[in-house]
Structure formats: structure tokens, C-alpha cells
Amino acid sequence: MHSLRTRLFGLWGLSLLACVAVGFLLLQLYHQSTDAQVGRAEAVIARACDLIRDRYGFYATGWSGPRQGQPDVRLRSDLATAVGLALGNQDGVEGGIWQTGTGPLAYAFPTYQGTGPKTDLPTAERDQIRAVNQQAARDEQFVDRHATFGSQTLLLYACPLPGPIAGLTAWTMTRVQSVRGFQPLQLGLGVLLAMMLLMSAWLGRTLLVWGRHVRGIEAALRTAGASGMPTVERTGERELDQIIDALNDAGQRLAEARRQADSMTARAARAERLAALGRVAAGVAHEIRNPIAAARLQGENALAGNDTRRRDAIGDMLEQIDRLDALVGELLAMTQRAEPNRVSVDLAAFLAQQVARHKETAQTKSLAISVRDAAGTAVLDPALIERVLDNLMTNAIRHAPDGGAVILSVDRRPDLLSFIVEDSGAGVPPEMTDRLFEPFVTGRPDGTGLGLAIARELIDAHGGRLVLRSPGTACSGAVFAVELPQEAEWQPS
């Protein structure tokens, strides 16, 4: 169980089980108490019937019986006296003597709690008294009978009376009141039911209220966007409000931290731009200073020399001016992004042209240039990709040793097309890997360090990336990759 709702339902179920268990125990206790009372009462009325039998036996000793016909008044009085003596100490027990065919001969209830002695046979129980006596006379054995009426149990007991008068039976009767145990039981069960219903209602309300508040908190947190966590309204529930206060406080701290982070990011970006601008400015100043110094020197030579020397000096000055013009063109290429013109290109023919363009330069170093996996077509800007690959191939040929190799390959994936250029040179020095694509970063004394920077800008304009996949080791050269998003299905040729 991992949720509050499950725990509350579990608590409700346990409380219900507890109520059922307590009610069951109370019922069992009630039944056991009633059964014990009935058992004791049975023993009492059986003993009382034996006492009547003994008294009658003592009375009938040496007596030949009444004259024929109906029992006389004296006999009835004597039998009633005998029954009264037998039941004198039996609390709550009434009884008498019954004769088959005649009916009651004697009745006594000496422990009756009402006003005055009770001498009349109970009318409501007369039929049951007759039935139990008739059965005892017929079977000539003891007979007991129970009857439950509402909150009491009626117990009857009858036994045959041997003697000079035929068809006589003694009977006793008592009542076991269950109201004393039943009323507390009803009260206890009612209290348990009320508590269970109250607890169920309370738990149900708690589940509904907490569920509504939790859904509200969840909905509020779901609206959190880039601006940070929203402010959640308090619910009035102490525990939930403590959580909400902690969330709101955390949201405020997060918003403040984000503002500070954004400020620091802006300052860092500004510092990085200034640093990059400083590096570019230093690189431009360095690259421009050398041609200007050379042109200045040639100009001085032209002023101090003869016509032949002036012509040579002016030629050198024009060469330095061309160098400055090329540098300015490269700088402009970095700042002016051209929109790519994408068309469907046959990769095999396209890469064959790249190899042919560099074949003569490669032959001067006895380099082997090969193309791998150049099958199918792709949608790209051939002029833009050609400039990038031309830069990468030129660098690869320049850094590959004599007799080495340059490999141009294609890597096709479902959503990515990669042109990979690798050489067998010494690789990129470790100190240059982090700044390799920055302007004016170069390992050659005569290089401007703008080639890779311009190539990356061109690939960025194409929506792709130019990355250094491997700087190279002593056994293998650098590996550059031009990664372009796949924009169309390609068909193998």
C-alpha cells in the first residue's frame, strides 16, 4: 500500500472487521449466558418436580386412595399443600399435579413476587402444561419442554406420580428472562453500528476532501512552465498546507535560483562573446599586420630602388593585397549565412567529383583516396556541402604522411546522414581539440585558422553539425564527420 487512499480504505476495513468481531463475541456471550441460565433453570425445575413427587409419595403412604368419582375438595387441598411445601424454597418455580382426563388437581406458586398468593393456574400456558403432562403420563417418564417468547424462555418439566390414584403427573414451570442480557447487547450493537457508520462517514469525507485537494495540487503543479513552479493555494488541511507551504517556498527558491542562473548565464555569454571578439580581433590584427608590414617594406623598396626593383616591389605589394582580400572574404563568409538550396543528389557521383578535385594534389604525396558506402541518393545543398568537404579533404591531404591514405565514407541511419573524412596522419594535438573550430586557431604557420570555422558555420546553416569524432592517435589520424538530418527516403543504386 503506497497511497493515503489505500491506507484509509485499509483502516476502514480493519475497523469494520473489528466491529463485526466484537458484535460476534457479544452475540456468543449472550447466547452462552442464556444457555447457562436455561441449563440452571432446567436443573431447578427437575429438582422441584422430584420434590413434588417425594411429597406426594409421603402423603400417599398407607393410603388406599379416594372414593370413586371426582376427587373431593379435601384431596385437592391436601395435594396443593404438598405442592406448596415442595416448592417453598424454589424461587421463581411454580407447579402442580395433573390428572389425565380431569385436569389440574393442585397448583402452587409459593415464591410469587406479586401481591398475595397466586392460586390460579396460568391461563396462557394451560395448553402447554396439559400437553407436557399428557406426554409424561403416556410415556411414563420424565418430559421437559422449552418455548421461547420474545425476551423470555418458558421451561416445563413433568414426571409421572405412582400411587393409589391413577393418571397423576407432577409438573413444574419457570421462566428465564433474557431481557437483562439482550438490552445491553442491543445497546452495544447499536453503539458499534453508530461508531462504524460515523467512522465510515468520516473516512469517506477525508478521502473525498483529500482527494480533491491532491488533484488540485496536481493540476496546479502541472501548469508549471518555463517560468517556474506556480503558487499553490492553501487547503485548510494542516498536513497538506505544510506540504503546500514547502512547495511554494521551494518554488520561490527555485525561481530565485533560476533568475540568478539566467543572470549568470547572460553575463557568461556576454563575457564569452567579448572573449571571442577579443580573440577574433587579435587574430584579424595578426593576420592583417603581416601583409601590411610586407607591403610597407615593398613600398619602401620601391621608393628607394630603380625601375626594375620598383616593379618587383609593386608585384609583391599586389600579392599581399590579394592575401588581405582573401582574408576579408573568409571573414565575410563567416558572418554571411547563405540559405541552403537542397536538391536530390546521387551520392556516388557527388563524392567521385570530390575525389577527382583532390586527386592531383594527393598524387604529389602518393596518397590513396578512397570512397566507401556511397550508395543511393540524399537531399542536400551540393554547393554548400562541397565547400565543407573540400576544406576537410584539403586538411586531410595536408596532414597525411607521404604514402598514406585518405578515406571519404558515408554513414546512413534512419534520421541522419553523415559524411566522414579520415586520414592516416598524426591527428589533432590535444591542446587544440577544445578550440579547433574557433577562428584563427591553426597548427600551421601559414594558415589563417578560418577553414574549419567557416565549414562549421556552413553546416549550421544547413541544419547539421560538423564534429571531430576522433582526434586521432599515433596509429590513426583525425576523423571528422559532417552530420546532416535525413530529409528524404533514399534508394540504393
Side-chain angles (χ1 to χ4, degrees):
M1 296 186 296
H2 298 290
S3 68
L4 177 62
R5 179 179 297 177
T6 305
R7 290 187 176 93
L8 290 177
F9 272 122
L11 178 61
W12 182 85
L14 289 176
S15 64
L16 179 61
L17 289 176
C19 292
V20 171
V22 172
F24 177 75
L25 291 176
L26 288 175
L27 285 174
Q28 290 297 316
L29 180 62
Y30 164 72
H31 287 305
Q32 290 176 5
S33 176
T34 302
D35 292 342
Q37 293 181 33
V38 170
R40 288 193 297 270
E42 287 177 343
V44 170
I45 61 174
R47 173 63 178 164
C49 196
D50 289 339
L51 290 174
I52 295 175
R53 188 175 182 178
D54 292 342
R55 289 289 180 179
Y56 173 74
F58 177 78
Y59 173 76
T61 302
W63 181 49
S64 59
R67 62 181 179 271
Q68 296 295 324
Q70 294 295 328
D72 55 22
V73 175
R74 181 177 179 183
L75 175 62
R76 289 176 180 271
S77 176
D78 291 342
L79 293 179
T81 300
V83 172
L85 292 174
L87 302 180
N89 296 322
Q90 308 301 316
D91 290 337
V93 178
E94 55 187 309
I97 296 176
W98 189 279
Q99 185 178 32
T100 302
T102 302
L105 298 182
Y107 171 78
F109 192 177
T111 59
Y112 178 63
Q113 300 295 324
T115 58
K118 190 173 185 298
T119 59
D120 297 330
L121 187 74
T123 304
E125 290 83 9
R126 185 182 183 91
D127 292 339
Q128 298 190 54
I129 294 172
R130 177 190 301 111
V132 73
N133 280 287
Q134 289 178 351
Q135 184 179 352
R138 184 178 60 251
D139 298 339
E140 296 183 353
Q141 63 180 8
F142 304 108
V143 176
D144 62 342
R145 182 172 294 183
H146 296 176
T148 301
F149 302 98
S151 61
Q152 71 176 5
T153 301
L154 179 68
L155 284 78
L156 285 165
Y157 192 90
C159 54
L161 296 177
I165 303 177
L168 291 185
T169 55
W171 63 272
T172 53
M173 182 177 69
T174 190
R175 296 170 178 83
V176 175
Q177 299 291 334
S178 58
V179 66
R180 294 180 180 178
F182 188 69
Q183 287 180 345
L185 176 64
Q186 285 182 321
L187 179 61
L189 290 178
V191 171
L192 281 176
L193 180 60
M195 290 179 63
M196 184 184 70
L197 293 177
L198 180 61
M199 184 163 45
S200 299
W202 186 267
L203 288 176
R205 179 185 177 280
T206 301
L207 285 172
L208 291 176
V209 172
W210 278 60
R212 184 173 67 251
H213 290 326
V214 169
R215 287 192 297 272
I217 295 172
E218 183 182 2
L221 293 177
R222 223 183 249 131
T223 60
S227 59
M229 294 177 58
T231 300
V232 183
E233 296 294 333
R234 292 171 63 88
T235 63
E237 300 288 340
R238 180 184 302 174
E239 291 78 6
L240 283 178
D241 287 343
Q242 290 176 351
I243 298 175
I244 290 173
D245 291 341
L247 286 174
N248 290 336
D249 184 59
Q252 292 176 359
R253 293 198 304 269
L254 179 61
E256 181 62 27
R258 177 168 294 177
R259 286 192 294 270
Q260 294 179 0
D262 292 343
S263 177
M264 293 178 63
T265 301
R267 289 197 297 270
R270 186 165 56 252
E272 181 63 26
R273 287 195 299 271
L274 292 174
L277 181 60
R279 290 193 297 270
V280 170
V284 170
H286 177 74
E287 292 298 326
I288 292 178
R289 180 177 294 173
N290 290 335
I292 290 177
R296 183 184 185 86
L297 179 62
Q298 296 301 330
E300 292 176 350
N301 291 335
L303 291 175
N306 52 26
D307 291 340
T308 302
R309 190 173 180 179
R310 277 195 293 271
R311 280 194 298 271
D312 293 340
I314 292 173
D316 291 339
M317 291 173 64
L318 293 175
E319 183 179 346
Q320 295 302 325
I321 291 173
D322 291 338
R323 181 179 176 184
L324 287 173
D325 183 65
L327 178 61
V328 171
E330 290 181 346
L331 290 173
L332 290 175
M334 287 186 61
T335 59
Q336 297 176 353
R337 285 193 175 189
E339 287 296 327
N341 182 24
R342 295 180 177 87
V343 296
S344 180
V345 175
D346 180 83
L347 292 177
F350 177 70
L351 296 183
Q353 293 177 359
Q354 308 307 311
V355 172
R357 184 176 296 105
H358 297 278
K359 185 175 182 180
E360 182 177 350
T361 305
Q363 288 178 348
T364 61
K365 301 181 63 175
S366 301
L367 296 177
I369 302 179
S370 60
V371 178
R372 297 178 184 173
D373 303 323
T377 61
V379 177
L380 49 84
D381 185 334
L384 187 148
I385 300 302
E386 179 180 315
R387 290 182 60 186
V388 175
L389 291 180
D390 182 70
N391 181 278
L392 295 178
M393 292 289 291
T394 299
N395 286 340
I397 293 173
R398 180 179 295 116
H399 291 93
D402 293 348
V406 174
I407 302 173
L408 177 59
S409 60
V410 178
D411 180 21
R412 298 299 302 253
R413 298 180 185 177
D415 57 349
L416 192 67
L417 169 67
S418 299
F419 295 99
I420 303 173
V421 178
E422 52 186 311
D423 60 69
S424 58
V428 179
E431 63 274 9
M432 292 181 58
T433 54
D434 293 338
R435 302 174 56 242
L436 186 62
F437 295 99
E438 293 183 9
F440 306 111
V441 176
T442 179
R444 296 185 297 113
D446 58 341
T448 62
L450 295 176
L452 290 177
I454 295 173
R456 169 168 279 190
E457 290 294 326
L458 293 175
I459 294 302
D460 287 345
H462 204 288
R465 295 195 314 155
L466 174 59
V467 296
L468 175 66
R469 287 194 176 180
S470 173
T473 62
C475 301
S476 63
V479 179
F480 288 87
V482 178
E483 298 177 349
L484 302 175
Q486 186 80 23
E487 297 188 6
E489 295 293 332
W490 66 287
Q491 301 293 332
S493 57

